[in-house]
């Protein structure tokens, strides 16, 4: 395994906001303040002997940017500092992170248990891709702890879930499921995209691996794709490093640099977007045309107590169901002007999605119903605009229903 130069600061004991401004910096001989962007595919060596030592892992340093690059290492180091993880590996997208976290450790004959309420592509990976390689999968009701217990077999190697779920914002009991995973000897992977690293720490709750689409809040400004896998050093050594090195789902150093700088403002952005989201949820809940508002920190959320226990805030996402199905939902989407129609999330700009015709469109109506996705459901990723402007925009949508 390639060993990399160590970051220059020991950040133990410092708070998250400080760690994510200073974490992971590898400063060059030029003493730059802002982190450098190293656009290089490969590296040169002083001698053949040094090159041999690098390849043998006897000397720290970079070899080839498919699996090691100083800018990418800074992004990984900063994510570790933020999440309290021993190791991190960045990938080209969130889906590359999800796929690698599973495939790197599984083989034919293994079994995976996953919650059925998943982002569409994550569900494709567990439900369709893994079985093609002889890996059995059970999709269960993630909020039901007994269902996790019952699904365990002696071949069970991994548990996979997201919480809050996309798009229905169900809250799954990460600490409770972690105990079941431990007893089963299964590796517990949590997709923490909706919560963000600021509001939920799955490793502290007992998960073994956390994955992110860094495309979302970590960039937060809609510029580039990226993903990251956080785990123990052991997992990287035993499984991940070789898989990433040999299969190559690598992030570009440029994207890693954008994400590295994006993280510096993550707490400020999440705080503002979350405060907007809570206010928008309360506003929508007062309207009679809205059948249901889903926001984890509202008392009417079915897992409100659990959300309060495992999250530091209700998050930047909300969902709501409109009376009148798809037609009414489309009229709402077409009437809002500030909140743009987009399937992305975690952006400075507020974005609205109709999951039944976009992210979850390829599922049958029955499967969507099973995931709680009705034709009248809309999801908003709340951004950084002024709250009153957003509420005025929602009023435009409500008038059009
Ligand atoms: C929960 C969740 N996981 C993973 C992904 C995939 O991320 P990416 O688009 O960066 O591949 C998304 C994207 O929307 C998501 O919402």
């Amino acid at each position: 395994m390639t060993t990399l130069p160590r970051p220059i600061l020991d950040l133990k004991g410092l708070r998250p906001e400080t760690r994510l401004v200073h974490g992971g910096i590898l400063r060059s001989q030029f003493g730059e303040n802002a982190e450098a962007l190293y656009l290089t595919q490969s590296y040169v060596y002083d001698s053949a002997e040094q090159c041999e030592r690098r390849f043998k892992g006897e000397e720290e340093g970079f070899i080839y940017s498919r699996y090691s690059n100083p800018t990418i290492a800074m992004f990984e180091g900063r994510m570790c500092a933020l999440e309290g993880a021993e190791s991190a590996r960045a990938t080209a997208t969130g889906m590359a992170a999800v796929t690698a976290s599973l495939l790197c450790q599984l083989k034919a004959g293994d079994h995976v248990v996953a919650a059925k309420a998943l982002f569409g592509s994550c569900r494709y990976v567990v439900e369709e891709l893994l079985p093609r390689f002889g890996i059995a999968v059970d999709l269960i009701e993630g909020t039901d702890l007994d269902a996790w217990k019952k699904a365990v077999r002696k071949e069970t190697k991994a548990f996979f879930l997201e919480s809050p779920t996309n798009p229905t914002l169900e809250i799954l009991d990460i600490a409770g499921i972690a105990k079941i995973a431990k007893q089963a000897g299964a590796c517990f992977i949590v997709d923490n995209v909706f919560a963000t690293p600021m509001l939920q720490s799955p490793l502290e709750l007992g998960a073994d691996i956390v994955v992110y689409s860094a495309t979302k809040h970590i960039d937060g400004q809609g510029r580039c794709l990226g993903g990251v896998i956080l785990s123990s050093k052991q997992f990287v050594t035993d499984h991940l490093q070789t898989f990433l090195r040999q299969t190559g789902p690598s992030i570009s150093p440029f994207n890693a640099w954008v994400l590295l700088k994006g993280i510096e403002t993550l707490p400020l952005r999440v705080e503002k977007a979350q405060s907007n989201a809570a206010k928008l949820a309360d506003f929508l809940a007062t309207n009679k045309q809205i059948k249901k508002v889903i926001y984890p920190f509202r008392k009417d959320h079915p897992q409100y107590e659990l959300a309060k226990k495992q999250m530091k805030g209700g998050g930047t996402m909300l969902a709501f169901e409109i009376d009148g199905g798809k037609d009414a939902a489309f009229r709402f989407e077409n009437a809002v002007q500030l909140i743009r129609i987009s399937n992305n999330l975690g952006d400075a700009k507020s974005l609205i999605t109709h999951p039944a015709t976009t992210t979850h469109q390829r599922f049958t109506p029955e499967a969507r119903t099973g995931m709680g996705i009705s034709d009248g459901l809309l999801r908003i990723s709340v951004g950084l605009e002024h709250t009153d402007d957003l509420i005025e925009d929602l009023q435009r949508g409500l008038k059009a229903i």
Side-chain angles (χ1 to χ4, degrees):
M1 188 182 134
T2 321
T3 47
L4 303 174
R6 279 183 201 87
I8 52 175
L9 264 180
D10 180 7
L11 299 163
K12 280 200 194 78
L14 297 175
R15 288 156 190 83
E17 290 78 358
T18 311
R19 282 187 260 139
L20 51 78
V21 174
H22 293 282
I25 297 178
L26 300 170
R27 196 158 276 137
S28 81
Q29 70 272 32
F30 301 116
E32 67 281 354
N33 177 35
E35 297 73 3
L37 169 51
Y38 293 95
L39 287 177
T40 181
Q41 296 166 340
S42 57
Y43 306 84
V44 293
Y45 310 96
D46 293 336
S47 64
E49 287 76 14
Q50 185 191 39
C51 182
E52 183 185 24
R53 286 196 300 278
R54 290 261 179 100
F55 269 77
K56 281 185 166 168
E58 291 169 0
E59 178 184 294
E60 291 188 340
F62 298 94
I63 296 177
Y64 189 57
S65 287
R66 180 174 354 104
Y67 44 91
S68 59
N69 169 283
T71 308
I72 298 172
M74 284 193 264
F75 170 54
E76 293 167 343
R78 188 159 290 178
M79 283 304 302
C80 279
L82 172 58
E83 198 82 30
E86 281 181 5
S87 258
R89 285 293 179 272
T91 52
T93 65
M95 282 322 301
V98 167
T99 309
S101 71
L102 288 159
L103 277 186
C104 77
Q105 58 171 319
L106 296 171
K107 60 178 185 334
D110 287 345
H111 173 242
V112 173
V113 187
K116 65 179 173 199
L118 290 177
F119 168 59
S121 300
C122 296
R123 185 140 161 181
Y124 163 81
V125 169
V126 292
E127 192 175 23
E128 295 184 39
L129 187 67
L130 296 184
R132 277 175 29 200
F133 297 94
I135 299 156
V137 176
D138 269 317
L139 285 170
I140 56 148
E141 190 55 65
T143 51
D144 178 359
L145 286 184
D146 276 343
W148 290 94
K149 272 188 212 146
K150 281 190 196 134
V152 170
R153 308 181 196 164
K154 67 176 190 325
E155 302 82 24
T156 305
K157 291 286 157 46
F159 277 18
F160 182 79
L161 63 79
E162 62 191 47
S163 181
T165 60
N166 179 6
T168 48
L169 307 177
E170 277 180 359
I171 307 295
L172 277 54
D173 182 351
I174 296 175
I177 297 163
K179 280 192 197 126
I180 302 167
K182 201 147 262 135
Q183 274 163 6
C187 173
F188 181 23
I189 306 166
V190 174
D191 180 336
N192 206 34
V193 166
F194 267 46
T196 83
M198 303 316 304
L199 302 177
Q200 183 167 272
S201 306
L203 296 178
E204 284 173 18
L205 294 167
D208 299 301
I209 294 178
V210 181
V211 288
Y212 286 103
S213 164
T215 314
K216 315 300 181 207
H217 303 84
I218 291 172
D219 171 29
Q221 288 153 82
R223 298 166 293 190
C224 64
L225 300 167
V228 61
I229 305 164
L230 296 125
S231 68
S232 65
K233 280 191 183 138
Q234 188 81 41
F235 181 77
V236 175
T237 312
D238 291 352
H239 302 290
L240 192 59
Q241 180 69 16
T242 306
F243 181 88
L244 295 177
R245 179 173 178 155
Q246 311 300 358
T247 62
S250 331
I251 190 169
S252 119
F254 179 78
N255 287 4
W257 179 79
V258 172
L259 297 168
L260 174 66
K261 299 308 287 174
I263 304 176
E264 293 179 349
T265 56
L266 182 67
L268 297 172
R269 288 185 283 103
V270 169
E271 194 180 313
K272 168 68 179 159
Q274 171 174 258
S275 137
N276 272 347
K279 288 177 189 148
L280 263 53
D282 288 344
F283 167 75
L284 285 168
T286 60
N287 193 287
K288 293 207 174 54
Q289 290 152 293
I290 305 295
K291 277 211 278 198
K292 176 164 85 174
V293 173
I294 315 173
Y295 185 68
F297 268 32
R298 272 182 59 83
K299 286 211 172 94
D300 54 7
H301 189 289
Q303 291 104 24
Y304 169 73
E305 296 299 335
L306 178 59
K308 282 271 180 180
K309 201 167 106 191
Q310 73 181 20
M311 295 176 72
K312 297 183 192 83
T316 67
M317 305 294 298
L318 66 93
F320 57 103
E321 210 175 313
I322 294 183
D323 237 346
K326 177 181 160 187
D327 289 348
F330 272 27
R331 282 198 295 278
F332 187 101
E333 277 197 298
N334 289 330
V336 287
Q337 290 167 12
L338 265 182
I339 308 173
R340 300 306 303 265
I341 301 171
S342 172
N343 47 301
N344 203 14
L345 64 101
D347 201 284
K349 298 179 175 68
S350 292
L351 303 171
I352 189 163
T353 308
H354 183 246
T357 52
T358 58
T359 50
H360 293 70
Q361 166 263 124
R362 59 179 205 89
F363 296 102
T364 61
E366 296 72 40
R368 278 200 295 274
T369 307
M371 288 186 257
I373 301 168
S374 71
D375 285 352
L377 187 81
L378 287 167
R379 181 194 85 183
I380 298 184
S381 165
V382 183
L384 307 180
E385 300 92 341
H386 194 287
T387 324
D388 296 344
D389 288 330
L390 290 174
I391 288 181
E392 282 163 27
D393 207 32
L394 292 182
Q395 279 164 339
R396 278 190 275 274
L398 290 168
K399 264 194 216 130
I401 303 177

